Amino acid sequence: MGASGIVSAVLLNPQMTYESSSNKWKILFLTSFCLTARIMGYAKNLVPFEIPLGTSSSGIDIFVGFSRSVTNLSFVLAGFFTGFGTQLSNGCTSGHGICGMARLSSRSIVACCTFMATGFITASFLRNNDLLRNDIPMLVPNSLTETLGVMLVSLLVSLTIRLFCEEASFNSIVESDEGGAREIDPLLTHTTEAKERIELSNIEGRHGMNKKNTLKMAPFVLASGSLFAVGLNMSQMIDIRKVLGFLDLQSLETWDPTLVFVMFGGVIVSGIGYQYVEGFQLFKVPVGMAAKLSISGNDFQVPKNAAWTSSRSLTCDETEVASPLMNTKLMVGASLFGFGWGIGGVCPGPAIYLATVGYPQILYLYMPLYAIGAHVAQMKYTQSFLG
């Protein structure tokens, strides 16, 4: 699961994400990610966006890689096409790139090649387009946008605390029932307590999973979200100039290839992790160390390749449906994501980071249009039109 899947789930279906036992971890991940970004923002541990390396003889600032800023229109278009494309193709640079390529997913490899090519072409073609590029520095966080970022983090933290309380309460009731503390008298099933116990039992059976799973995996999810935020900062993926300097191939003299190492470094580390997941090992691992796959949430969940219509993890209520390896949704979605990425130089993970820190154009322009694009992509008309 990549950043786009997590962000879209929380933005478009917050209630379902919160109530679904197989999706609650997304709230934990996003909370940890945004909290870490906000703390790093307070610590001023941000990549400098508009600080030049020096000044030329003509008095013009000199930057490494891409030397122009993106306009407000760029953020609007980038937000919409990125949201639409990632929702349609079920992945972005982290989902298809880091996670998908690491497990040698054919769909993810095709998607990566598609959005990388589209991103390169778009960024290179738009270098001198004054409608989407200018020399005005990107707006920096102000007191209002920083406050909005704090409010976002506070909301996520409160949801996480509530989630922990509910899970702990549920587990205590289930443990009491499992321990045989009390039997429910069939003649008393009309009582409130009996109905609550029956409902809890039905929920557990319906989801087919251990409810303790959310609490057990919480430390790992929280650590993962925090590390993701730190990694984006250290790799400079949150620096729009850096990203566009990588995507713009119009001048090889100013091309910045360093993000290649970010992508492949992440794929290598993720690939090592997949060696401990049953069915994805390229090398033998000690017996008992490989995690078992499951669609019920008890074990390690991995999206499927061509055998499934969606690249997201399935719940026990969903069924297998065969689909072609390269279908219309994957190709169109990946292309539009690459188009949006090439326009604005921002993908979902860095966008959430920058919005949390309080960058106005990301907060006011990119993210709202991202949500609209993702919503349009999941509409029945769009899905039926693209087959």
Side-chain angles (χ1 to χ4, degrees):
M1 175 63 71
S4 62
I6 295 172
V7 173
S8 296
V10 177
L11 280 179
L12 302 180
N13 303 294
Q15 183 175 357
M16 185 185 72
T17 302
Y18 183 86
E19 295 177 352
S20 172
S21 298
S22 60
N23 287 316
K24 288 182 178 181
W25 67 270
K26 296 175 184 178
I27 295 177
L28 302 184
F29 183 97
L30 195 60
T31 299
S32 176
F33 177 84
C34 291
L35 181 60
T36 302
R38 185 61 264 175
I39 292 173
M40 297 179 76
Y42 279 129
K44 305 301 179 184
N45 187 22
L46 286 170
V47 176
F49 280 86
E50 309 295 339
I51 299 178
L53 295 179
T55 305
S56 67
S57 57
S58 59
I60 300 176
D61 291 336
I62 301 174
F63 295 86
V64 170
F66 196 78
S67 61
R68 306 192 74 191
S69 297
V70 295
T71 64
N72 289 338
L73 179 59
S74 291
F75 285 115
V76 170
L77 295 176
F80 179 84
F81 285 113
T82 300
F84 188 95
T86 54
Q87 183 71 17
L88 201 62
S89 64
N90 292 299
C92 56
T93 51
S94 55
H96 280 310
I98 304 299
C99 300
M101 291 182 64
R103 57 185 164 83
L104 302 180
S105 164
S106 300
R107 282 176 56 87
S108 290
I109 293 174
V110 170
C112 283
C113 292
T114 302
F115 68 65
M116 290 297 292
T118 310
F120 281 131
I121 294 171
T122 303
S124 301
F125 181 76
L126 295 178
R127 170 189 274 259
N128 299 315
N129 188 306
D130 294 332
L131 189 63
L132 300 175
R133 301 285 187 263
N134 60 27
D135 299 313
I136 301 175
M138 181 178 177
L139 298 178
V140 297
N142 54 54
S143 57
L144 175 59
T145 57
E146 287 185 348
T147 300
L148 291 175
V150 172
M151 291 174 62
L152 171 63
V153 173
S154 300
L155 175 62
L156 289 171
V157 169
S158 64
L159 284 175
T160 298
I161 293 174
R162 180 181 174 182
L163 188 152
F164 274 121
C165 292
E166 290 181 353
E167 290 292 306
S169 175
F170 183 94
N171 291 340
S172 64
I173 296 175
V174 171
E175 288 175 355
S176 175
D177 289 341
E178 289 176 348
R182 279 185 292 177
E183 295 290 338
I184 300 178
D185 190 336
L187 299 178
L188 300 178
T189 54
H190 64 281
T191 65
T192 302
E193 181 181 4
K195 288 180 179 180
E196 289 178 351
R197 286 171 174 265
I198 293 173
E199 177 61 22
L200 289 172
S201 178
N202 290 338
I203 292 174
E204 185 176 16
R206 185 162 62 247
H207 287 287
M209 65 184 298
N210 180 5
K211 292 297 177 179
K212 299 177 185 178
N213 194 49
T214 300
L215 295 180
K216 285 183 177 180
M217 69 188 297
F220 304 100
V221 175
L222 294 173
S224 179
S226 183
L227 285 174
F228 186 42
V230 174
L232 288 180
N233 183 289
M234 295 184 64
S235 65
Q236 301 183 37
M237 280 291 293
I238 60 172
D239 187 343
I240 294 178
R241 287 187 184 276
K242 186 81 171 178
V243 175
L244 290 178
F246 166 69
L247 293 176
D248 184 2
L249 300 176
Q250 191 173 116
S251 176
L252 295 179
E253 293 181 357
T254 59
W255 182 56
D256 185 352
T258 54
L259 293 188
V260 173
F261 300 98
V262 175
M263 172 70 79
F264 284 100
V267 170
I268 290 172
V269 173
S270 182
I272 293 174
Y274 275 109
Q275 299 312 303
Y276 294 91
V277 181
E278 286 188 0
F280 290 89
Q281 299 105 325
L282 296 177
F283 310 99
K284 290 185 178 180
V285 297
V287 178
M289 291 190 66
K292 295 181 179 180
L293 288 177
S294 171
I295 63 171
S296 66
N298 285 321
D299 300 302
F300 196 89
Q301 298 184 59
V302 175
K304 298 297 182 181
N305 294 340
W308 305 80
T309 55
S310 172
S311 66
R312 56 189 171 84
S313 300
L314 302 179
T315 65
C316 60
D317 295 326
E318 295 174 309
T319 56
E320 297 184 46
V321 182
S323 67
L325 172 62
M326 293 180 288
N327 56 27
T328 304
K329 294 178 184 178
L330 177 70
M331 301 303 295
V332 172
S335 298
L336 292 179
F337 165 53
F339 180 64
W341 192 31
I343 291 175
V346 188
C347 52
I352 286 294
Y353 187 110
L354 296 174
T356 303
V357 172
Y359 278 86
Q361 287 148 310
I362 301 295
L363 198 59
Y364 297 147
L365 301 177
Y366 183 96
M367 289 309 304
L369 269 296
Y370 175 92
I372 292 174
H375 176 70
V376 172
Q378 73 173 12
M379 292 172 62
K380 291 183 179 180
Y381 175 79
T382 306
Q383 295 290 322
S384 61
F385 177 75
L386 294 173

